[in-house]
Amino acid sequence: MPLRLFLTSGDLMADRRFEFARDLQLKGDLPAAADVVEQALELAPNFTSAWFTLGEIRQQLGERDKAIEAFRKARDCDPGDQHGAGLHLMRLGDAAMAEMPKAYVQALFDQYAPRFEHTLINDLGYRAPALIFKAVVAARVAGKKPAFFKRTIDLGCGTGLAAAAFAKQVDHFIGIDLSPGMIKEARATGLYAELEVADMIDGLRGQADASANLVVAADAFVYLSDLAPVLTEAKRVLVSGGVLAFTLETHDGSGIVLGVGLRYAHSAEYVRGAIAKAGLKLLTLEPASPRNENNEPVRGLVVVAEKT
């Protein structure tokens, strides 16, 4: 997991008490940790990181109402919600399903960027780019079409692992990621002709109609609830016969859920419907685990669609 976000209170004593509380939390002494966090909040009532941590502790203690109150305070203190308190409120049933705050996603991956590849590959067995590559090649072979693409857009490009997987199949790679830290890492690979700091939908909106032959998103759509906007934009930028390929996390129910790992999981039924509504032709929708979590394969899907 990425390094924990910390926003200073501006009060040295409050910050020190917060650090002590975090140590107690990590050691499992949750009641004492809650007491010390509350002491920090007495010194700094608008201390976002302390409110967020108090919410986590209350949730760990099974105190739902108190956890909700603390997470609400964290969100009120930081309307951009860099900690993702709103996501915890969704998990607790206090808020309707909504998209992730952009500030949260950016902060999360800016911290993660320097050790992103090491953690994914060595600790989590990350395989989303390889799954997408194999699925795209198989779909093109089945359709008797070449698996070479003049212009490709990599959504949520991260450090460039998808570009590395497709390096021999693509002439011109465009990377789009919300995190400046990730874009810095991607630039260092030399794999991209263009890189842009933007969220996936806004990044696609900046691309011309029928300007891409392939759009890929490796483990990126798990940070989107509603897939309709990104699918619509992907169809617009693809040439006729162009391909969209991505991985998702999934679940047994219907629709969309926010998982315990604070990533969205989409049912296969939902994905089929979203692809159809976007006017794309579904070529592949298969179970495939993009990575591990807690030493178990994460349930997922690999999807390939075509603009006809």
Side-chain angles (χ1 to χ4, degrees), residues 84-92 95-100 104 222-225 249 251 255-266:
L87 298 174
H88 288 270
L89 291 171
M90 288 182 218
R91 289 277 305 161
L92 288 165
M97 187 72 70
E99 296 301 331
M100 290 191 185
Y104 164 74
V222 295
Y223 297 98
L224 297 175
S225 171
E249 293 185 15
H251 63 105
I256 309 153
V257 300
L258 181 64
V260 66
L262 300 184
R263 294 179 301 275
Y264 297 107
H266 301 79

Side-chain angles (χ1 to χ4, degrees), residues 41-299:
L41 287 165
E42 288 176 5
L43 295 170
N46 295 318
F47 192 174
T48 307
S49 293
W51 281 117
F52 180 80
T53 298
L54 183 60
E56 287 184 316
I57 294 168
R58 294 299 186 195
Q59 191 171 8
Q60 288 175 287
L61 288 168
E63 298 172 350
R64 178 180 178 274
D65 290 346
K66 289 183 178 180
I68 287 171
E69 181 183 0
F71 284 130
R72 284 178 179 174
K73 289 279 192 180
R75 190 176 57 182
D76 291 345
C77 291
D78 176 20
D81 198 11
Q82 295 176 78
H83 288 79
L87 298 174
H88 288 270
L89 291 171
M90 288 182 218
R91 289 277 305 161
L92 288 165
D94 185 64
M97 187 72 70
E99 296 301 331
M100 290 191 185
K102 291 181 183 180
Y104 164 74
V105 178
Q106 186 176 79
L108 181 73
F109 285 101
D110 274 347
Q111 294 173 91
Y112 207 178
R115 59 193 184 100
F116 179 77
E117 284 194 23
H118 177 84
T119 300
L120 278 184
I121 295 169
N122 296 304
D123 300 340
L124 302 178
Y126 183 62
R127 45 198 172 264
L131 290 172
I132 291 173
F133 177 78
K134 290 177 183 178
V136 168
V137 170
R140 297 296 276 188
V141 169
K144 298 181 179 179
K145 296 179 180 179
F148 295 93
F149 305 93
K150 183 176 181 181
R151 198 164 184 268
T152 294
I153 300 172
D154 185 3
L155 297 175
C157 66
T159 59
L161 293 172
F166 279 89
K168 294 181 180 180
Q169 319 299 126
V170 171
D171 289 334
H172 186 102
F173 245 118
I174 300 164
I176 297 171
D177 201 288
L178 186 58
S179 162
M182 288 295 192
I183 290 293
K184 180 181 177 181
E185 298 291 326
R187 183 170 287 112
T189 68
L191 292 169
Y192 294 91
E194 302 175 46
L195 285 162
E196 180 183 2
V197 177
D199 75 12
M200 292 181 278
I201 298 167
D202 287 344
L204 282 174
R205 285 174 179 156
Q207 300 294 318
D209 293 358
S211 60
N213 306 92
L214 173 66
V215 175
V216 297
D219 214 24
F221 287 179
V222 295
Y223 297 98
L224 297 175
S225 171
D226 181 8
L227 296 182
V230 75
L231 295 179
T232 297
E233 287 301 314
K235 181 192 176 186
R236 181 187 62 78
V237 303
L238 283 170
V239 301
S240 179
V243 174
L244 167 66
F246 56 93
T247 56
L248 290 168
E249 293 185 15
T250 194
H251 63 105
D252 286 327
S254 61
I256 309 153
V257 300
L258 181 64
V260 66
L262 300 184
R263 294 179 301 275
Y264 297 107
H266 301 79
S267 71
E269 178 188 16
Y270 170 87
V271 177
R272 289 182 187 278
I275 291 286
K277 287 178 182 176
L280 293 162
K281 179 183 177 182
L282 183 63
L283 301 180
T284 305
L285 194 156
E286 297 176 350
S289 174
R291 59 188 180 79
N292 301 330
E293 189 165 293
N294 298 321
N295 297 316
E296 295 289 337
V298 171
R299 291 189 58 200

